[in-house]
Amino acid sequence: MADGRNYGQQNLWQLEKSTYKREAHPWPFMRTKLALLILGLSFCLFIGCAVNPITGEEELMLISEDQDIEIGRQYAPEIEKQMGGKITDPVIQNYVNSVGQSIARISHRPNFEYSFVALNHKSINALALPGGYVYVTKGMLEKLDNEAQLAAILAHEVTHIVARDVANEMSNQIGISLLLSAVTSEKTPQSVLTIADLTRQIVGLKYSRKDEQEADLGGLGYMVAAGYNPYGMVETMQMLQNQNQIRPIEFLSSHPSPENRIGYLTQAIQTNYYNLAGSKIAKEEYHKAILSRLSK
Ligand SMILES: [Zn+2]
């Protein structure tokens, strides 16, 4: 594609859509489709829709992009506070951030101000806030083995931000008025409490299976475009699966189980990415910048 941002996942979506074609009686179906389209368009005009750049589909969005950024800015300090604060080692932070930035740069929304932060928390977790905030925990970093696996986690979270799943689910599950009340300029002791309470809900935010699959496949496309070996994502899923057998892990309480994700990821890699020669795994670099320093 001309803008260089069709990383293969588009084919999957087109394939999926074509199964809905009805050949036998096209006209009544088309009329209904046209009516729905007109209804949908007028609905979108009044309520506010945005195109999801990952799927190319119109989606209902109650929150503007500016509000996305503002919500992220407001909740970020509280997430950091509740999840052990930032890891103080600048080498670790710079490494995580530079891997993340290489993905954000080639994403469909490079205009957000992304930050990728390692948190000093023993849980195995990663999460995103609207507007570009991505967090990965010490517990997760300790279980990864190379840079491609880290890129997989960060690319998955970047895709949630690009698709604006985070703000969407926050307004669905928490309530848009409550969510935005934290962003208004008036700060009372009550609203400070609310932010802390809401943050706990954000940490456990559940996405739909459709959003998760989109974040996996979109993230896969992003990590390949950033030069990484996509099997890093499959390995990460396998690690999560193994860890979950030892004891239930936090990341999977808000995400679907890894079994079928390994299936569709492997299939997508075999279908879309033929030439992986020279793609980056960077095990040594990861051990040097992250694992050796975390164990100190
Ligand atoms: Zn996710």
Side-chain angles (χ1 to χ4, degrees):
M1 215 178 231
D3 71 350
R5 283 182 188 153
N6 179 6
Y7 306 133
Q9 73 271 28
Q10 234 85 341
N11 296 338
L12 284 176
W13 292 103
Q14 278 155 10
L15 211 72
E16 218 169 81
K17 276 181 205 154
S18 68
T19 57
Y20 296 115
K21 263 189 204 157
R22 297 184 187 181
E23 304 294 352
H25 304 287
W27 281 105
F29 179 59
M30 278 185 72
R31 269 207 300 271
T32 323
K33 210 176 165 188
L34 190 69
L36 281 174
L37 186 73
I38 293 168
L39 190 75
L41 279 179
S42 47
F43 185 66
C44 281
L45 276 178
F46 288 116
I47 306 288
C49 279
V51 174
N52 178 340
I54 309 289
T55 60
E57 289 170 359
E58 282 268 2
E59 280 179 3
L60 181 64
M61 273 312 297
L62 299 169
I63 292 174
S64 71
E65 255 188 66
D66 286 346
Q67 282 172 323
D68 239 35
I69 294 167
E70 194 48 37
I71 289 168
R73 196 173 292 150
Q74 291 292 331
Y75 285 95
E78 188 59 33
I79 289 268
E80 288 165 22
K81 204 170 99 189
Q82 286 190 16
M83 298 202 57
K86 294 179 184 179
I87 291 177
T88 48
D89 188 336
V91 174
I92 293 179
Q93 294 296 357
N94 288 341
Y95 185 84
V96 169
N97 191 52
S98 73
V99 173
Q101 295 299 344
S102 74
I103 291 155
R105 205 176 302 131
I106 51 82
S107 78
H108 291 86
R109 279 189 214 279
N111 56 315
F112 282 154
E113 257 183 55
Y114 291 87
S115 65
F116 299 84
V117 170
L119 295 172
N120 199 5
H121 202 266
K122 65 179 189 334
S123 65
I124 301 178
N125 214 348
L127 58 128
L129 278 179
Y133 295 83
V134 177
Y135 296 103
V136 58
T137 59
K138 183 181 174 191
M140 177 72 89
L141 291 173
E142 281 170 341
K143 296 288 178 239
L144 302 177
D145 189 48
N146 62 48
E147 195 175 306
Q149 294 174 4
L150 173 64
I153 295 278
L154 301 181
H156 176 100
E157 297 303 330
V158 166
T159 314
H160 275 316
I161 290 172
V162 168
R164 304 183 65 207
D165 297 334
V166 202
N168 233 346
E169 282 308 324
M170 282 164 89
S171 51
N172 283 342
Q173 292 172 39
I174 297 168
I176 189 156
S177 56
L178 203 58
L179 191 66
L180 292 178
S181 72
V183 191
T184 53
S185 53
E186 266 179 59
K187 288 277 173 291
T188 62
Q190 224 174 358
S191 69
V192 173
L193 268 182
T194 309
I195 285 196
D197 292 339
L198 292 178
T199 305
R200 271 186 283 279
Q201 292 192 48
I202 292 166
V203 174
L205 208 63
K206 280 190 172 62
Y207 301 110
S208 69
R209 267 174 199 273
K210 179 180 171 288
D211 285 350
E212 284 305 339
Q213 184 160 356
E214 204 179 290
D216 284 342
L217 295 174
L220 197 69
Y222 284 167
M223 69 182 289
V224 170
Y228 290 102
N229 187 305
Y231 282 101
M233 194 177 278
V234 178
E235 290 162 11
T236 302
M237 294 297 166
Q238 280 159 346
M239 178 280 285
L240 292 172
Q241 197 176 359
N242 295 341
Q243 288 303 316
N244 203 43
Q245 278 161 359
I246 301 166
R247 65 186 172 91
I249 67 166
E250 294 76 6
F251 189 68
L252 296 183
S253 67
S254 59
H255 282 71
S257 72
E259 289 97 12
N260 75 320
R261 302 169 80 186
I262 293 173
Y264 64 67
L265 283 168
T266 310
Q267 198 187 3
I269 295 171
Q270 286 166 355
T271 313
N272 298 315
Y273 309 116
Y274 299 107
N275 187 9
L276 298 175
S279 60
K280 202 170 173 187
I281 296 171
K283 182 172 172 154
E284 229 173 273
E285 290 86 335
Y286 186 81
H287 278 246
K288 191 168 170 247
I290 303 285
L291 293 180
S292 70
R293 302 186 76 91
L294 282 180
S295 62
K296 265 179 199 165

